[in-house]
Amino acid sequence: MSAPGILHPHNPEFDRFLQASVGEDRNGNTVTVLSTLARLDLEPWDEAAALSALGQEAAGSRLEKLLSRFRDVPALRQQHGHVARKLTSLLPKRRQRIAVISGAATKEPAKVSGVIWAVLAILFLVMQIMLAGAPGSGQ
């Protein structure tokens, strides 16, 4: 069984936002937020996290500026403000982000616990090896 982060390395909390459409390019292909941010040389998940950390209005303003720089979707030239407001509503709310962050934090003690159990198992094996060769072990 593979580790959960190998096939999907990014946190899914931004999927709705990143997979949303910003419009169609000149060839009629749908362009997503993820594609838009990548074409603007930004890391989509980092930018989504930064936008989500801002308030709704500040996130909308920042996204509007980003969309105004994007030239691959002709309709964005006049509608970048409207599209930005619509898209920011898809960002996870602060309460949802706290739950995701706290959920990630609860996974950390499990890693520490695993390390402790591994060390204890090794110590147990070393003790068994030392006691097996001790006098009076039945040989």
Side-chain angles (χ1 to χ4, degrees):
M1 183 193 251
S2 65
I6 291 177
L7 296 177
H8 303 287
H10 299 288
N11 197 323
E13 69 179 319
F14 301 116
D15 284 354
R16 280 186 47 214
F17 171 73
L18 292 173
Q19 296 304 320
S21 171
V22 297
E24 291 185 356
D25 65 10
R26 289 174 183 82
N27 298 325
N29 298 314
T30 300
V31 179
T32 63
V33 174
L34 188 143
S35 177
T36 301
L37 294 173
R39 292 183 200 184
L40 290 171
D41 290 326
L42 298 168
E43 206 296 319
W45 285 270
D46 290 346
E47 191 61 36
L51 288 168
S52 184
L54 299 172
Q56 188 82 12
E57 199 169 310
S61 177
R62 173 152 172 76
L63 187 59
E64 184 177 350
K65 288 177 187 173
L66 291 172
L67 293 178
S68 70
R69 292 180 15 212
F70 189 67
R71 301 290 179 215
D72 293 354
V73 176
L76 280 179
R77 288 191 181 133
Q78 286 123 7
Q79 298 178 355
H80 57 269
H82 171 72
V83 173
R85 283 187 299 279
K86 185 178 90 173
L87 291 172
T88 53
S89 70
L90 298 175
L91 286 166
K93 304 294 184 244
R94 184 170 177 82
R95 190 173 311 175
Q96 292 171 333
R97 292 197 68 241
I98 291 170
V100 170
I101 291 168
S102 65
T106 59
K107 293 179 185 174
E108 197 60 35
K111 290 180 183 176
V112 173
S113 175
V115 170
I116 292 171
W117 281 110
V119 169
L120 287 174
I122 291 169
L123 287 174
F124 179 75
L125 288 173
V126 168
M127 297 263 310
Q128 288 293 321
I129 292 170
M130 288 175 36
L131 292 174
S137 63
Q139 293 181 352

mmCIF file with all atom_site columns, all heavy atoms in Angstrom, residues 110-122:
data_model
loop_
_atom_site.group_PDB
_atom_site.id
_atom_site.type_symbol
_atom_site.label_atom_id
_atom_site.label_alt_id
_atom_site.label_comp_id
_atom_site.label_asym_id
_atom_site.label_entity_id
_atom_site.label_seq_id
_atom_site.pdbx_PDB_ins_code
_atom_site.Cartn_x
_atom_site.Cartn_y
_atom_site.Cartn_z
_atom_site.occupancy
_atom_site.B_iso_or_equiv
_atom_site.pdbx_formal_charge
_atom_site.auth_seq_id
_atom_site.auth_comp_id
_atom_site.auth_asym_id
_atom_site.auth_atom_id
_atom_site.pdbx_PDB_model_num
ATOM 1  N N   . ALA A 1 110 ? 1.495  10.697 15.867 1.00 0.00 ? 110 ALA A N   1
ATOM 2  C CA  . ALA A 1 110 ? 1.534  9.310  15.413 1.00 0.00 ? 110 ALA A CA  1
ATOM 3  C C   . ALA A 1 110 ? 2.929  8.971  14.899 1.00 0.00 ? 110 ALA A C   1
ATOM 4  O O   . ALA A 1 110 ? 3.423  7.867  15.121 1.00 0.00 ? 110 ALA A O   1
ATOM 5  C CB  . ALA A 1 110 ? 0.499  9.083  14.318 1.00 0.00 ? 110 ALA A CB  1
ATOM 6  N N   . LYS A 1 111 ? 3.592  9.899  14.228 1.00 0.00 ? 111 LYS A N   1
ATOM 7  C CA  . LYS A 1 111 ? 4.952  9.668  13.753 1.00 0.00 ? 111 LYS A CA  1
ATOM 8  C C   . LYS A 1 111 ? 5.911  9.509  14.926 1.00 0.00 ? 111 LYS A C   1
ATOM 9  O O   . LYS A 1 111 ? 6.753  8.628  14.938 1.00 0.00 ? 111 LYS A O   1
ATOM 10 C CB  . LYS A 1 111 ? 5.412  10.817 12.851 1.00 0.00 ? 111 LYS A CB  1
ATOM 11 C CG  . LYS A 1 111 ? 4.713  10.863 11.528 1.00 0.00 ? 111 LYS A CG  1
ATOM 12 C CD  . LYS A 1 111 ? 5.219  12.026 10.707 1.00 0.00 ? 111 LYS A CD  1
ATOM 13 C CE  . LYS A 1 111 ? 4.470  12.138 9.409  1.00 0.00 ? 111 LYS A CE  1
ATOM 14 N NZ  . LYS A 1 111 ? 4.886  13.294 8.652  1.00 0.00 ? 111 LYS A NZ  1
ATOM 15 N N   . VAL A 1 112 ? 5.770  10.372 15.928 1.00 0.00 ? 112 VAL A N   1
ATOM 16 C CA  . VAL A 1 112 ? 6.626  10.297 17.113 1.00 0.00 ? 112 VAL A CA  1
ATOM 17 C C   . VAL A 1 112 ? 6.377  8.982  17.836 1.00 0.00 ? 112 VAL A C   1
ATOM 18 O O   . VAL A 1 112 ? 7.316  8.308  18.261 1.00 0.00 ? 112 VAL A O   1
ATOM 19 C CB  . VAL A 1 112 ? 6.371  11.506 18.038 1.00 0.00 ? 112 VAL A CB  1
ATOM 20 C CG1 . VAL A 1 112 ? 7.122  11.354 19.346 1.00 0.00 ? 112 VAL A CG1 1
ATOM 21 C CG2 . VAL A 1 112 ? 6.762  12.796 17.340 1.00 0.00 ? 112 VAL A CG2 1
ATOM 22 N N   . SER A 1 113 ? 5.129  8.606  17.962 1.00 0.00 ? 113 SER A N   1
ATOM 23 C CA  . SER A 1 113 ? 4.775  7.350  18.620 1.00 0.00 ? 113 SER A CA  1
ATOM 24 C C   . SER A 1 113 ? 5.398  6.170  17.876 1.00 0.00 ? 113 SER A C   1
ATOM 25 O O   . SER A 1 113 ? 5.896  5.231  18.497 1.00 0.00 ? 113 SER A O   1
ATOM 26 C CB  . SER A 1 113 ? 3.252  7.209  18.666 1.00 0.00 ? 113 SER A CB  1
ATOM 27 O OG  . SER A 1 113 ? 2.899  5.964  19.183 1.00 0.00 ? 113 SER A OG  1
ATOM 28 N N   . GLY A 1 114 ? 5.378  6.199  16.566 1.00 0.00 ? 114 GLY A N   1
ATOM 29 C CA  . GLY A 1 114 ? 5.986  5.129  15.764 1.00 0.00 ? 114 GLY A CA  1
ATOM 30 C C   . GLY A 1 114 ? 7.479  5.023  16.008 1.00 0.00 ? 114 GLY A C   1
ATOM 31 O O   . GLY A 1 114 ? 8.030  3.919  16.094 1.00 0.00 ? 114 GLY A O   1
ATOM 32 N N   . VAL A 1 115 ? 8.136  6.160  16.124 1.00 0.00 ? 115 VAL A N   1
ATOM 33 C CA  . VAL A 1 115 ? 9.579  6.166  16.389 1.00 0.00 ? 115 VAL A CA  1
ATOM 34 C C   . VAL A 1 115 ? 9.857  5.572  17.768 1.00 0.00 ? 115 VAL A C   1
ATOM 35 O O   . VAL A 1 115 ? 10.775 4.764  17.933 1.00 0.00 ? 115 VAL A O   1
ATOM 36 C CB  . VAL A 1 115 ? 10.146 7.608  16.282 1.00 0.00 ? 115 VAL A CB  1
ATOM 37 C CG1 . VAL A 1 115 ? 11.572 7.667  16.776 1.00 0.00 ? 115 VAL A CG1 1
ATOM 38 C CG2 . VAL A 1 115 ? 10.046 8.108  14.853 1.00 0.00 ? 115 VAL A CG2 1
ATOM 39 N N   . ILE A 1 116 ? 9.061  5.938  18.741 1.00 0.00 ? 116 ILE A N   1
ATOM 40 C CA  . ILE A 1 116 ? 9.241  5.393  20.096 1.00 0.00 ? 116 ILE A CA  1
ATOM 41 C C   . ILE A 1 116 ? 9.074  3.884  20.097 1.00 0.00 ? 116 ILE A C   1
ATOM 42 O O   . ILE A 1 116 ? 9.882  3.155  20.695 1.00 0.00 ? 116 ILE A O   1
ATOM 43 C CB  . ILE A 1 116 ? 8.262  6.074  21.084 1.00 0.00 ? 116 ILE A CB  1
ATOM 44 C CG1 . ILE A 1 116 ? 8.661  7.537  21.275 1.00 0.00 ? 116 ILE A CG1 1
ATOM 45 C CG2 . ILE A 1 116 ? 8.244  5.334  22.427 1.00 0.00 ? 116 ILE A CG2 1
ATOM 46 C CD1 . ILE A 1 116 ? 7.655  8.361  22.042 1.00 0.00 ? 116 ILE A CD1 1
ATOM 47 N N   . TRP A 1 117 ? 8.044  3.387  19.415 1.00 0.00 ? 117 TRP A N   1
ATOM 48 C CA  . TRP A 1 117 ? 7.821  1.937  19.357 1.00 0.00 ? 117 TRP A CA  1
ATOM 49 C C   . TRP A 1 117 ? 8.969  1.231  18.631 1.00 0.00 ? 117 TRP A C   1
ATOM 50 O O   . TRP A 1 117 ? 9.371  0.129  19.015 1.00 0.00 ? 117 TRP A O   1
ATOM 51 C CB  . TRP A 1 117 ? 6.487  1.616  18.686 1.00 0.00 ? 117 TRP A CB  1
ATOM 52 C CG  . TRP A 1 117 ? 5.332  1.812  19.618 1.00 0.00 ? 117 TRP A CG  1
ATOM 53 C CD1 . TRP A 1 117 ? 4.381  2.782  19.551 1.00 0.00 ? 117 TRP A CD1 1
ATOM 54 C CD2 . TRP A 1 117 ? 5.023  1.036  20.777 1.00 0.00 ? 117 TRP A CD2 1
ATOM 55 N NE1 . TRP A 1 117 ? 3.500  2.666  20.588 1.00 0.00 ? 117 TRP A NE1 1
ATOM 56 C CE2 . TRP A 1 117 ? 3.871  1.588  21.360 1.00 0.00 ? 117 TRP A CE2 1
ATOM 57 C CE3 . TRP A 1 117 ? 5.613  -0.065 21.392 1.00 0.00 ? 117 TRP A CE3 1
ATOM 58 C CZ2 . TRP A 1 117 ? 3.298  1.064  22.518 1.00 0.00 ? 117 TRP A CZ2 1
ATOM 59 C CZ3 . TRP A 1 117 ? 5.023  -0.576 22.536 1.00 0.00 ? 117 TRP A CZ3 1
ATOM 60 C CH2 . TRP A 1 117 ? 3.892  -0.017 23.094 1.00 0.00 ? 117 TRP A CH2 1
ATOM 61 N N   . ALA A 1 118 ? 9.498  1.840  17.595 1.00 0.00 ? 118 ALA A N   1
ATOM 62 C CA  . ALA A 1 118 ? 10.622 1.231  16.869 1.00 0.00 ? 118 ALA A CA  1
ATOM 63 C C   . ALA A 1 118 ? 11.856 1.137  17.767 1.00 0.00 ? 118 ALA A C   1
ATOM 64 O O   . ALA A 1 118 ? 12.546 0.106  17.796 1.00 0.00 ? 118 ALA A O   1
ATOM 65 C CB  . ALA A 1 118 ? 10.939 2.033  15.610 1.00 0.00 ? 118 ALA A CB  1
ATOM 66 N N   . VAL A 1 119 ? 12.144 2.183  18.520 1.00 0.00 ? 119 VAL A N   1
ATOM 67 C CA  . VAL A 1 119 ? 13.286 2.173  19.432 1.00 0.00 ? 119 VAL A CA  1
ATOM 68 C C   . VAL A 1 119 ? 13.090 1.115  20.515 1.00 0.00 ? 119 VAL A C   1
ATOM 69 O O   . VAL A 1 119 ? 14.013 0.358  20.843 1.00 0.00 ? 119 VAL A O   1
ATOM 70 C CB  . VAL A 1 119 ? 13.506 3.578  20.052 1.00 0.00 ? 119 VAL A CB  1
ATOM 71 C CG1 . VAL A 1 119 ? 14.497 3.536  21.197 1.00 0.00 ? 119 VAL A CG1 1
ATOM 72 C CG2 . VAL A 1 119 ? 13.950 4.563  18.982 1.00 0.00 ? 119 VAL A CG2 1
ATOM 73 N N   . LEU A 1 120 ? 11.891 1.030  21.058 1.00 0.00 ? 120 LEU A N   1
ATOM 74 C CA  . LEU A 1 120 ? 11.606 0.009  22.069 1.00 0.00 ? 120 LEU A CA  1
ATOM 75 C C   . LEU A 1 120 ? 11.764 -1.406 21.511 1.00 0.00 ? 120 LEU A C   1
ATOM 76 O O   . LEU A 1 120 ? 12.286 -2.302 22.193 1.00 0.00 ? 120 LEU A O   1
ATOM 77 C CB  . LEU A 1 120 ? 10.209 0.217  22.649 1.00 0.00 ? 120 LEU A CB  1
ATOM 78 C CG  . LEU A 1 120 ? 10.049 1.413  23.583 1.00 0.00 ? 120 LEU A CG  1
ATOM 79 C CD1 . LEU A 1 120 ? 8.595  1.600  23.962 1.00 0.00 ? 120 LEU A CD1 1
ATOM 80 C CD2 . LEU A 1 120 ? 10.913 1.252  24.818 1.00 0.00 ? 120 LEU A CD2 1
ATOM 81 N N   . ALA A 1 121 ? 11.328 -1.626 20.290 1.00 0.00 ? 121 ALA A N   1
ATOM 82 C CA  . ALA A 1 121 ? 11.462 -2.949 19.663 1.00 0.00 ? 121 ALA A CA  1
ATOM 83 C C   . ALA A 1 121 ? 12.933 -3.303 19.484 1.00 0.00 ? 121 ALA A C   1
ATOM 84 O O   . ALA A 1 121 ? 13.342 -4.451 19.739 1.00 0.00 ? 121 ALA A O   1
ATOM 85 C CB  . ALA A 1 121 ? 10.737 -2.971 18.320 1.00 0.00 ? 121 ALA A CB  1
ATOM 86 N N   . ILE A 1 122 ? 13.739 -2.353 19.057 1.00 0.00 ? 122 ILE A N   1
ATOM 87 C CA  . ILE A 1 122 ? 15.176 -2.607 18.883 1.00 0.00 ? 122 ILE A CA  1
ATOM 88 C C   . ILE A 1 122 ? 15.818 -2.920 20.231 1.00 0.00 ? 122 ILE A C   1
ATOM 89 O O   . ILE A 1 122 ? 16.618 -3.856 20.351 1.00 0.00 ? 122 ILE A O   1
ATOM 90 C CB  . ILE A 1 122 ? 15.858 -1.405 18.189 1.00 0.00 ? 122 ILE A CB  1
ATOM 91 C CG1 . ILE A 1 122 ? 15.393 -1.320 16.735 1.00 0.00 ? 122 ILE A CG1 1
ATOM 92 C CG2 . ILE A 1 122 ? 17.371 -1.508 18.272 1.00 0.00 ? 122 ILE A CG2 1
ATOM 93 C CD1 . ILE A 1 122 ? 15.779 -0.053 16.022 1.00 0.00 ? 122 ILE A CD1 1
#
